[in-house]
Amino acid sequence: MMYVPSYFEFVNSAKLLSGDYALENIASEMNLLGSVRPIILSDATLEKIGSVKLLTDALAKGGMRPSSVYTDIPLDSSIEKVNEIAVIYRERNADGIIALGGGSVIDTAKGLRMLISQGGRDIMRYVGSEMLNKGQNVPFAAIPTTSGTGSEATGVAVIKDGERKVKLEFISSFLLPDIAVLDVRVLESMPPRITALTGLDALTHAIEAYSCLQKNPISQCYAISAIKLIMANLEQALRKPKDKKARISMAIASYIAGAAFSNSMVGIVHAIGHSVGGVCSVAHGEAMTILLPVCMRYNRDYAKEDYSELLLYLSSPDVYASTDAAARADKAIAVVEDFIAKIKESAPIATRLSERGVMKSDFEEIAIRAMNDGALIVNPRNADKDDILKILDEAF
Amino acid sequence: MKAFLKTTVCSVVLHVLYRALKVLVRKDSRIRHEFSSFKDGFTIRITLSTEGPSVVMRKEAGRLSWIKEAEGEDLELKFKSIDSAFLVFTGMMGISRAYAEHRITVKGDIADVMTLVRMIDIAEAYLFPRIMSKRVLRAVPSKERSSLSVYRMVLLGF
Ligand SMILES: [Fe+2]
């Protein structure tokens, strides 16, 4: 039965441009929003493989010339980087932002957007949740080049404070891009490992959004669509990287899973996963892949109904119908585990913490950090430090 | 209930909560441990609604103090409406749930919010009857001493 919370909020204000010639439509959409000379943010790899040129050519066709193209964004962007780009933005008199890249580039762009619209030189002042007003209008388009973080659909930016070496979270619906653009031409060069890990990250977003405390009829509906798309397309995207339909389907899945979790938030998989990443530099998607089944087992008795329902979308109507109602939640977890195992056959990904050099001596620090992660607040089952240590042990 | 009444109730409960935290920072090992992660001088503001009153607490020489007026707090939790604050301060909703439901805006680091929320959850286990905590919290923290002794220290100071 559909769960209706006593109160919830939902926002997904980005306009989505998805499919053939999506890049070519950006100029016109940005014009409508009042931008004629945006700054382009991307990274060195995307510049090297020609994705940035693809974008600037597409913009040129629409008569748009960017005020500058900035591609010096590292994988792990920082507050300092955002502040630095803001200087360039103002110097060049840019009037909008187009971000082309993975999570780090898009989060950097969100930080820049916030700093420009709020004014000032340092985004540190704006750390927090929902405390910003809209500020000055800064048209912002995001073009993801991986299919997993869903950052193009979320009102969250996670940016490192390089000095204190901690990740800071910015939450505001005004961080949402005005336009999200999904175009296979910038997605098909994704290597198998990234395709696999980002795809499984998106699956985690959908499963956590579906079962966490802030679930609601809209986010659950988004989560279901994302799960269906991922189960039907991730393997194909790995087998045939140039398969357009599989690629765009994964991009859509990532986008809607992002919209789902931006509203109902993610839970314990992310709380622990962020910390595993922070302490041991395990890639985000990999931490998700390793932790998802273990955490689902931890949550099972508290999310039983949700997991049972998800079995239908994770498998097939036949499997769902032939599984005893009481066994569906367990079956759903088993299906997720099998799916990850199958993905592992076509891409070099880890499924245990020990495979990625995490040591048992890291557990204490990981658990302490996970306890301070906001994602823990909406997990269906409460977790204290000992619970987290047990989960880490099981995932080792 | 009228808004000013809700505001009054919330202000009173918030004051009791502050007194309880002040006591428990010394008397409860877990709250002491959580509190130790705040640096000295760390200032917390809790604002009851957009236009509502706010209280400011600060860690001073390892203790929790009530501050009359302060600017530049390290952490501010602001309820979007007095009605949401009322749900929390009358024990009808856990503070973590209120945060999850977007009833609270935060200025500052979410990690600090998590610490404060855990402190408040434990404090509420002393202040509210167990049946209430059980309804609003996913797991009710245990108590290291009796609620009566905490209330005595909160109200009478010994
Ligand atoms: Fe994620």
Side-chain angles (χ1 to χ4, degrees), chain A residues 148-149 201 205 261 270 274 284 288:
Chain A
T149 66
D201 184 23
H205 295 156
F261 93 76
H270 275 78
H274 291 149
H284 177 72
M288 298 298 106

Side-chain angles (χ1 to χ4, degrees), chain A residues 121-242:
Chain A
R121 291 206 183 90
D122 189 2
I123 57 165
M124 278 296 278
R125 291 167 53 195
Y126 305 121
V127 175
S129 172
E130 301 183 55
M131 39 82 71
L132 297 176
N133 56 24
K134 189 166 193 306
Q136 187 198 321
N137 178 38
V138 179
F140 172 24
I143 314 157
T145 56
T146 62
S147 299
T149 66
S151 186
E152 70 280 7
T154 74
V156 185
V158 181
I159 307 174
K160 187 179 68 180
D161 175 354
E163 210 173 285
R164 286 197 299 152
K165 293 208 167 54
V166 288
K167 293 211 166 179
L168 295 171
E169 226 176 330
F170 301 83
I171 303 172
S172 164
S173 51
F174 304 126
L175 289 172
L176 275 163
D178 298 303
I179 310 168
V181 185
L182 310 179
D183 192 313
V184 285
R185 288 171 292 171
V186 295
L187 295 162
E188 52 192 18
S189 54
M190 225 190 305
R193 184 176 142 79
I194 304 299
T195 303
L197 292 182
T198 51
L200 292 169
D201 184 23
L203 180 66
T204 310
H205 295 156
I207 291 175
E208 293 214 283
Y210 193 86
S211 53
C212 276
L213 294 182
Q214 272 312 94
K215 63 196 176 190
N216 59 68
I218 309 176
S219 69
Q220 287 199 322
C221 157
Y222 278 43
I224 289 171
S225 294
I227 290 172
K228 283 164 128 179
L229 286 166
I230 295 164
M231 299 311 285
N233 291 286
L234 183 52
E235 282 178 272
Q236 179 66 6
L238 283 163
R239 261 196 310 266
K240 288 223 169 72
K242 301 275 173 200

